């Protein structure tokens, strides 16, 4: 029996919906938290007990940054899956999976899934195998990666809307559970001990803007506008 998205309706009310303001959750099979952080080249910062302590540490850390986003704080804890233990990594807002190459190295020889939501309600789901991005998508209709269609059956099973292209954070969490066997619960997030690391987000030169819009009729407009000041080679 497939996981039901409604199994994860708790997420919307967790700490008053705090994580809906921006988070990244990543699950990586078979690594210890310390090994995962080492693979990210993280600067280790010790452990904190519980979600509140992690949020406080993250808030203090971000307040000390001159420019938000130059570094990200990640907390990693061990959780049981169906056939193995997994690392659950948590970021408030996030950026490591999207803005660095570290996740490719971190997933060498193993599987990882990650889902992300930004403060402006952009969301993404990513599936990695042995350092390779297999599938990434925001909504179910437009998927990227080396095997963009491999998860379609599972996506149908956990309630993704292939008619309107809609999805929810509950769909993401249910799909992650199908791929990992890990059930993320309020207790897991609330009471875990998180090993903390700081990961540098390298600055990237702005090369252009991508406009990607799907209208109410399902028509997609995808335009890439280069930065006119970017040197062409």
């Amino acid at each position: 029996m497939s996981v039901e998205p409604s199994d994860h309706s708790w997420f919307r009310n967790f700490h008053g919906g705090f994580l809906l303001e921006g988070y990244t959750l990543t699950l990586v099979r078979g690594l210890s938290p310390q090994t995962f952080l080492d693979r990210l080249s993280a600067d280790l910062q010790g452990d904190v007990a519980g979600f509140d302590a992690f949020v406080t540490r993250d808030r203090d850390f971000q307040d000390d940054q001159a420019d938000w986003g130059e570094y990200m704080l990640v907390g990693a804890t061990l959780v049981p899956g169906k056939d193995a233990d997994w690392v659950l990594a948590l970021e408030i807002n996030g950026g490591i999976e999207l803005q660095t190459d570290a996740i490719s190295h971190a997933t060498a020889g193993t599987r990882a899934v990650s889902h992300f939501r930004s403060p402006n309600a952009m969301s993404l789901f990513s599936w990695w195998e042995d350092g390779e991005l297999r599938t990434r998508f925001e909504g179910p209709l437009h998927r990227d990666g080396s095997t963009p269609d491999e998860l379609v059956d599972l996506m149908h099973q956990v309630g993704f809307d292939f008619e309107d292209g809609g999805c929810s954070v509950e769909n993401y969490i249910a799909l992650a559970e199908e791929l990992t066997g890990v059930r993320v619960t309020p207790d897991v997030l609330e009471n875990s001990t998180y090993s903390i690391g700081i990961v540098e987000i390298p600055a990237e030169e702005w090369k252009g803007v991508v406009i990607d819009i799907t209208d109410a009729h399902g028509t997609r407009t995808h335009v890439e506008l280069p930065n006119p000041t970017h040197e062409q080679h």
Side-chain angles (χ1 to χ4, degrees):
M1 182 177 178
S2 294
V3 180
E4 295 291 336
S6 59
D7 295 341
H8 299 292
S9 59
W10 61 267
F11 193 88
R12 292 187 175 274
N13 299 316
F14 184 73
H15 282 245
F18 174 76
L19 289 176
L20 292 179
E21 298 177 10
Y23 77 92
T24 304
L25 278 175
T26 303
L27 291 162
V28 187
R29 182 176 58 200
L31 303 183
S32 69
Q34 289 71 28
T35 299
F36 174 69
L37 293 171
D38 285 344
R39 287 188 176 194
L40 295 179
S41 298
D43 183 7
L44 301 183
Q45 302 291 306
D47 296 344
V48 296
F51 183 81
D52 285 335
F54 174 74
V55 171
T56 297
R57 177 72 70 87
D58 180 81
R59 183 180 295 117
D60 291 344
F61 168 73
Q62 297 297 355
D63 286 346
D64 287 339
Q65 287 202 73
D67 294 309
W68 186 91
E70 290 186 342
Y71 297 86
M72 292 303 299
L73 195 79
V74 56
T77 191
L78 200 64
V79 292
K82 183 178 179 180
D83 300 316
D85 286 337
W86 294 66
V87 168
L88 182 151
L90 174 64
E91 301 166 66
I92 306 302
N93 292 324
I96 293 171
E97 196 267 340
L98 295 176
Q99 295 174 260
T100 76
D101 294 325
I103 199 69
S104 178
H105 175 65
T107 60
T110 191
R111 165 177 289 192
V113 298
S114 182
H115 46 98
F116 157 87
R117 180 182 173 96
S118 72
N120 63 4
M122 174 190 174
S123 54
L124 287 173
F125 186 97
S126 303
W127 165 40
W128 294 78
E129 292 279 352
D130 194 17
E132 177 184 22
L133 179 61
R134 297 287 297 275
T135 304
R136 175 178 284 159
F137 60 87
E138 180 173 8
L141 299 181
H142 306 296
R143 304 173 302 276
D144 298 310
S146 62
T147 58
D149 299 330
E150 191 164 340
L151 299 183
V152 167
D153 287 345
L154 274 181
M155 292 167 71
H156 277 290
Q157 289 176 31
V158 299
F160 281 87
D161 187 345
F162 281 80
E163 293 294 326
D164 296 331
C167 61
S168 67
V169 65
E170 291 92 342
N171 294 129
Y172 286 150
I173 299 172
L175 182 59
E177 184 173 337
E178 288 283 1
L179 288 167
T180 65
V182 174
R183 170 147 293 200
V184 178
T185 67
D187 182 67
V188 167
L189 293 182
E190 190 74 70
N191 297 313
S192 289
T193 294
Y194 296 93
S195 297
I196 304 296
I198 296 172
V199 178
E200 183 175 5
I201 306 297
E204 292 187 3
E205 180 182 2
W206 173 56
K207 298 180 181 179
V209 172
V210 175
I211 301 172
D212 196 335
I213 302 171
T214 302
D215 66 21
H217 303 288
T219 302
R220 186 187 188 195
T221 301
H222 184 95
V223 179
E224 297 185 15
L225 303 176
N227 179 358
T229 65
H230 177 65
E231 181 180 357
Q232 301 295 316
H233 297 283

